[in-house]
Amino acid sequence: MKVKNAVIIRALTGDRRFDPEQYLPEAKAALGGLAREFDEAGDRLDAQIRQLRGRRGKATHAHDYRQADASNLRLRATVLRALSEELRRLIDDRDHLLGLIESARKDAWGDISKAVIDSLDRQVVVVDDDYLREREERMGLVVDDLRRLMD
């Protein structure tokens, strides 16, 4: 999603020529961010597992873990750490990154083309002086929204 949003922003505001190389930092950052999220989730599970000692009986809701849940939670933590490790490995895999960028480009193109088609399907927009004068401001708001989505 972050790489796709970067593609859209650059398509709308910058160089119109697509060069996958320019998106390598965003792709690496996206994988690194996911790896950190999985590490943090694994840490939270470890903390929950430590709190389970002596908690027997039936759970009262979906996240009311008991001692009997410890093995499943350990497995989840192990899987999260394996995913995190694999994501960190992929950060250095140029072919994977370029594939990710190409997938993001296709998704971005799909979003942009859908927006164009949707706008063509709407009633005719009156293009008057106000519309033309305010266009840059409207496009700036779109770019601001996309940048917020990237963060």
Side-chain angles (χ1 to χ4, degrees):
M1 179 71 86
K2 288 186 177 205
V3 179
K4 177 184 81 168
N5 288 341
V7 171
I8 292 171
I9 286 173
R10 286 194 188 140
L12 294 175
T13 64
D15 184 7
R16 303 277 191 237
R17 185 180 59 84
F18 178 80
D19 178 9
E21 299 287 325
Q22 67 186 351
Y23 297 96
L24 286 171
E26 283 94 345
K28 289 179 180 187
L31 293 180
L34 284 173
R36 281 188 300 281
E37 285 180 32
F38 289 150
D39 284 339
E40 290 166 6
D43 292 345
R44 282 191 301 275
L45 285 173
D46 288 342
Q48 286 178 323
I49 292 166
R50 285 190 298 273
Q51 295 172 352
L52 294 180
R53 292 191 181 97
R55 292 197 59 170
R56 300 188 194 295
K58 291 189 175 198
T60 58
H61 55 80
H63 297 288
D64 181 23
Y65 299 117
R66 302 299 171 141
Q67 198 167 353
D69 298 312
S71 62
N72 285 339
L73 293 175
R74 275 193 288 279
L75 176 61
R76 284 176 50 195
T78 299
V79 169
L80 286 167
R81 292 213 166 73
L83 285 169
S84 177
E85 185 177 315
E86 179 64 8
L87 288 169
R88 284 194 171 84
R89 185 189 69 74
L90 292 173
I91 287 172
D92 296 322
D93 183 337
R94 182 176 171 75
D95 290 337
H96 179 78
L97 292 170
L98 291 173
L100 177 69
I101 292 164
E102 176 59 19
S103 178
R105 183 195 65 79
K106 287 178 182 176
D107 289 346
W109 176 243
D111 287 359
I112 291 169
S113 63
K114 182 180 180 329
V116 169
I117 289 169
D118 288 349
S119 71
L120 293 174
D121 286 343
R122 287 187 216 122
Q123 293 180 5
V124 175
V125 176
V126 176
V127 179
D128 58 11
D129 290 338
D130 290 338
Y131 180 87
L132 294 172
R133 185 175 53 255
E134 296 168 359
R135 182 182 187 283
E136 188 171 334
E137 181 182 348
R138 288 192 309 276
M139 292 307 296
L141 293 172
V142 170
V143 170
D144 290 345
D145 287 345
L146 291 170
R147 282 195 176 116
R148 276 192 295 279
L149 289 171
M150 285 179 52
D151 294 336

